[in-house]
Amino acid sequence: MSTLSFGSRPPVLRLLGAFAALALLALSGCGPREHTLSLVGTTMGTSWSVQVPHPPERLDQADLYARISAELEAVNERMSTYRASSELSRFNAAESTDWLPVSAELVRLVDTAIAVSTLTDGGFDVTVGPLVNLWGFGPEVKADQLPAQAEIDAALARVGWDLLATRSDPPALRKAQPDLYVDLSAIAKGYGVDRMAALLEDAGITDYLVEIGGELRGRGVNAEGEPWRIAIERPEPGRRVVLRVVALTDLGMATSGDYRNFFELDGRRYSHTIDPATGRPVDHQLASVTVLAERCAEADAWATALLVLGPERGMALANDRGLIALFVERFGDELRVTESTAFARMSGG
């Protein structure tokens, strides 16, 4: 159930989704938290939240809540693969290889995804859905056994970001083969965060923290007049332990990891992050990647892309592109944390 609150108690933000990779913790100490507006709801199978310190006196809180809910509903209607009525689901179901009209918003997000795909040589691929479903991580029923190589090969034949084309005027998408399937789940939450942030700024709000399932954007300062302080979790299943705290100012932030959505079979863990090159879950020591970027959609996409690429290739690309990225590798019970050059510069390292 969605809730709206404004009062003397500190806002409580709960991350309900299995993909939530960041802990929002009260790290800034005591202060005038009674002046913070907190809005909380559900979307995309997880939770959303907004914090606005010292909201304008004339702000209609109920109207703001309604507009946020409506905006997130519109995102779902365009981009959800769990709704047969969504624009994306209708595109996926179509057998035509002609241009199919869609919203300009959907085209822009697919363009963002394709840009990251190009820079990662397909490490990030929004057409990987058939493989995600095959391994039991999509809207279809979860798998209770490993897929056969023949099944993986058949799914791989339907995967390829270069089989997807966009057109901006008039806005449309086109497949190079009829059974291409597009899944934006690795970028849609970040996009939803960006849409919420834009809505707040249109309302004249310049200090805020917005979040969907652990993907965030912070602008301005919190109720204490300090930068928003966000805790990055240790990549440990079933636990919420702080690994690192970062100040989030005018940036979006996203984390991808292998520790929230996975299954184990015969003593081996299989992550929901699929490598489009092999058709299998990623298999390396990289446990999580956190990326900060101006747009949360880009942070979301890059976090997934770098996790797919692994610690060496991912870090090399992060430094080459000037990405603000934090890599966490797992070696047995030990963790190794590595910062990109831009991350170290931002954090003063």
Side-chain angles (χ1 to χ4, degrees):
M1 178 179 296
S2 300
T3 60
L4 181 154
S5 63
F6 180 67
S8 60
R9 299 184 62 186
V12 178
L13 306 182
R14 295 178 179 175
L15 306 186
L16 303 177
F19 296 104
L22 300 175
L24 301 182
L25 303 179
L27 296 169
S28 52
C30 299
R33 294 183 174 274
E34 66 273 11
H35 298 302
T36 296
L37 168 65
S38 176
L39 307 177
V40 181
T42 57
T43 188
M44 304 182 193
T46 185
S47 65
W48 65 262
S49 61
V50 171
Q51 289 191 66
V52 179
H54 309 293
E57 291 184 4
R58 295 184 178 181
L59 179 67
D60 187 328
Q61 300 164 29
D63 177 67
L64 178 61
Y65 182 83
R67 284 190 287 144
I68 291 173
S69 298
E71 185 64 36
L72 293 175
E73 176 64 16
V75 172
N76 272 305
E77 276 300 310
R78 296 184 193 109
M79 302 168 187
S80 175
T81 56
Y82 289 80
R83 294 187 182 186
S85 62
S86 76
E87 275 190 280
L88 188 58
S89 290
R90 295 197 304 272
F91 174 76
N92 285 335
E95 297 183 354
S96 172
T97 56
D98 294 330
W99 288 107
L100 297 176
V102 297
S103 65
E105 291 84 356
L106 183 54
V107 168
R108 283 195 292 268
L109 190 60
V110 172
D111 277 339
T112 298
I114 289 176
V116 177
S117 296
T118 302
L119 292 169
T120 58
D121 195 24
F124 182 78
D125 192 335
V126 294
T127 72
V128 78
L131 289 163
V132 174
N133 293 339
L134 179 63
W135 284 91
F137 295 109
E140 299 176 4
V141 177
K142 278 186 174 291
D144 57 2
Q145 61 183 8
L146 300 184
Q149 186 60 49
E151 295 176 297
I152 295 173
D153 291 341
L156 276 169
R158 299 176 55 196
V159 172
W161 62 272
D162 53 348
L163 301 174
L164 177 63
T166 66
R167 186 182 69 193
S168 59
D169 189 19
L173 300 178
R174 184 172 66 184
K175 314 173 184 181
Q177 60 187 52
D179 59 355
L180 195 70
Y181 179 92
V182 179
D183 183 349
L184 297 175
S185 60
I187 192 172
K189 290 199 299 294
Y191 175 75
V193 166
D194 291 333
R195 294 306 307 150
M196 292 166 69
L199 192 152
L200 292 177
E201 292 179 14
D202 287 344
I205 297 171
T206 56
D207 296 311
Y208 59 77
L209 180 69
V210 297
E211 170 266 339
I212 298 178
E215 322 295 28
L216 309 102
R217 177 174 171 80
R219 182 179 177 187
V221 295
N222 62 19
E224 288 77 31
E226 300 175 352
W228 299 100
R229 301 177 67 203
I230 308 300
I232 301 174
E233 288 183 339
R234 291 177 62 89
E236 298 179 8
R239 300 182 64 197
R240 289 289 169 87
V241 181
V242 175
L243 173 72
R244 182 74 65 88
V245 177
V246 298
L248 192 63
T249 302
D250 300 340
L251 288 171
M253 182 174 177
T255 295
S256 287
D258 68 353
Y259 59 104
R260 289 288 177 227
N261 193 13
F262 63 91
F263 69 87
E264 292 183 345
L265 194 62
D266 297 329
R268 182 174 177 180
R269 178 185 298 179
Y270 295 88
S271 167
H272 76 284
T273 303
I274 306 297
D275 185 345
T278 65
R280 296 175 176 274
V282 294
D283 186 18
H284 47 58
Q285 286 77 35
L286 194 53
S288 73
V289 179
T290 297
V291 175
L292 285 73
E294 183 176 350
R295 294 171 56 207
C296 193
E298 292 182 356
D300 204 358
W302 275 111
T304 298
L306 297 178
L307 183 66
V308 169
L309 293 179
E312 292 82 15
R313 292 171 61 204
M315 182 60 76
L317 183 58
N319 284 329
D320 182 61
R321 301 300 304 177
L323 300 177
I324 305 171
L326 183 78
F327 289 62
V328 183
E329 295 176 74
R330 183 188 296 110
F331 298 91
D333 294 332
E334 301 296 322
L335 297 177
R336 182 169 70 188
V337 179
T338 309
E339 301 175 347
S340 70
T341 301
F343 191 102
R345 186 183 304 117
M346 180 200 72
S347 60

